[in-house]
Amino acid sequence: MRAARLIKMVLLLQSRPSMTAAELARELEVSERTVTRDAQALSEAGVPVYADRGRAGGYRLIGGYRTRLTGLARGEAEALFLSGVPGALREMGLQDAASAARLKVSAALLPSLRDAPRTAAQRFHLDAPNWFREPPTPELLPAVADAVWDDRPVTARYRRGEAEVERHLEPYGLVLKAGVWYLCARVAGQGSFRVYRIDRFTAVEASGDRFERAADFDLPAFWEERAEQFARSILRAEVVVRLSAEGVRRLPHAVDPLSAREALAAAEGPDGTGWVTVTLPVESEDVAHTQLTALGAEAEVLAPASLRERFAEQAARQAGLYRR
């Protein structure tokens, strides 16, 4: 365990000019004291790890040291070939480059690991779009992807409702969510980051210049924050619902999972009949009616009265149909 950690520490220092103790501790998932001990152990073993003192200090390798401990274990090789998403690479125009890279890595593997690409591909496959949907590949996606790779600003025309607007953007990253491509970009001259659907772009023209990326921008963290903000922003109404034990189990599958979890966490325990009452954030009464219908007799709407009346009328119509 420690040997693997020491190798990882050397590889981290080899890939960067220097790293602080805190950065190494975070990457290695250990304490800073353990980082200090490991650095000392590497130094005693002949690896030239140098510690810079002071507030801006850190650890670095000196003398252009390069380790040869770069061989891949079987699990590492198989994980490497799982890292690509073939459909997404094809849509961005990177299929040929990815194929060439996989061939080069395969050729560099030990003979005993040459079957890693095949064993990984036959065991795991990612199919990103939802069921019963075949979202078309946005025509301008390759052009946007090129601008993202090269850090080139773009002038883009974007459909907003019935109108088109023009934006000067610094494209930071692409996200594929449920088969839909999104661009995370900074609006030039404003400093604010926004999210755009690629299929709403009608024109994209890249600049010959390059922009300087913000060093602290974290695409996964940014997307997670914006996705949660969007999910909360559309939940503008509330309904009060009684749920059976089966209704509690099925609720996260019928409505927004985040609002379901929060509603269930805030609810009191089951009543004398085993039912739980929750206050559930929803997009609208119409959406709530559609979603909660899927729970059938496992849910009873208590409020608002207008929604409860809709369910009562629906139940009466259905009862009449089946009585006939």
Side-chain angles (χ1 to χ4, degrees):
M1 181 67 180
R2 190 190 184 198
R5 190 176 71 241
L6 292 175
I7 292 172
K8 184 176 180 180
M9 183 174 180
V10 174
L11 294 175
L12 284 169
L13 292 174
Q14 182 173 299
S15 65
R16 307 181 193 182
S18 69
M19 295 182 69
T20 66
E23 290 172 336
L24 283 167
R26 185 166 55 252
E27 291 282 355
L28 299 172
E29 298 181 350
V30 296
S31 67
E32 293 186 27
R33 180 173 296 182
T34 298
V35 168
T36 301
R37 288 198 297 264
D38 286 352
Q40 180 65 31
L42 287 171
S43 181
E44 292 173 355
V47 179
V49 178
Y50 182 78
D52 292 314
R53 306 296 179 184
R55 179 175 300 176
Y59 293 92
R60 59 186 175 88
L61 296 175
I62 60 175
Y65 179 85
R66 306 288 294 179
T67 179
R68 295 184 179 180
L69 298 173
T70 54
L72 293 175
R74 170 166 292 277
E76 295 168 335
E78 291 174 344
L80 176 64
F81 284 96
L82 282 175
S83 62
V85 184
L89 292 171
R90 182 176 61 253
E91 291 178 6
M92 289 190 291
L94 298 174
Q95 184 178 21
D96 291 342
S99 177
R102 285 193 292 270
L103 286 173
K104 290 178 180 178
V105 173
S106 296
L109 291 175
L110 293 172
S112 61
L113 301 179
R114 295 282 167 80
D115 64 338
R118 182 180 59 81
T119 58
Q122 294 303 317
R123 286 165 173 78
F124 300 96
H125 176 69
L126 175 62
D127 185 8
N130 287 334
W131 283 104
F132 313 116
R133 292 183 184 178
E134 289 294 336
T137 301
E139 181 180 348
L140 296 174
L141 177 61
V144 176
D146 286 343
V148 170
W149 278 114
D150 293 338
D151 294 338
R152 295 191 183 277
V154 298
T155 299
R157 293 195 63 80
Y158 186 80
R159 290 195 305 273
R160 177 182 288 177
E162 299 298 323
E164 280 192 6
V165 296
E166 185 173 280
R167 292 287 182 266
H168 300 289
L169 305 173
E170 296 175 351
Y172 268 67
L174 290 168
V175 175
L176 178 61
K177 170 72 171 179
V180 179
W181 284 96
Y182 296 88
L183 172 67
C184 302
R186 182 165 60 181
V187 181
Q190 296 185 18
S192 59
F193 287 91
R194 297 181 183 177
V195 176
Y196 300 87
R197 280 185 59 144
I198 301 294
D199 58 7
R200 292 181 183 169
F201 284 119
T202 59
V204 173
E205 183 178 351
S207 167
D209 301 324
R210 284 186 168 87
F211 65 89
E212 184 175 349
R213 295 175 66 92
D216 59 349
F217 180 78
D218 184 328
L219 180 60
F222 170 79
W223 177 258
E224 182 179 0
E225 178 184 353
R226 287 303 172 92
E228 183 173 334
Q229 288 177 358
F230 174 76
R232 292 182 184 279
S233 68
I234 64 174
L235 302 177
R236 302 186 181 92
E238 287 186 343
V239 298
V240 181
V241 189
R242 286 182 71 237
L243 300 166
S244 68
E246 177 63 13
V248 168
R249 187 187 69 80
R250 289 164 48 186
L251 184 66
H253 304 286
V255 303
D256 176 72
L258 177 62
S259 63
R261 288 196 300 270
E262 292 183 350
L264 291 171
E268 298 182 357
D271 60 20
T273 62
W275 286 53
V276 175
T277 300
V278 300
T279 300
L280 185 69
V282 294
E283 185 175 346
S284 66
E285 284 193 25
D286 287 339
V287 172
H289 180 264
T290 301
Q291 293 174 333
L292 295 176
T293 294
L295 298 180
E298 307 302 328
E300 177 191 3
V301 173
L302 303 180
S306 55
L307 182 59
R308 179 179 174 85
E309 186 175 334
R310 287 178 66 176
F311 272 100
E313 291 174 354
Q314 176 179 294
R317 289 199 305 271
Q318 286 182 314
L321 287 174
Y322 286 100
R323 276 198 295 269
R324 288 200 298 270

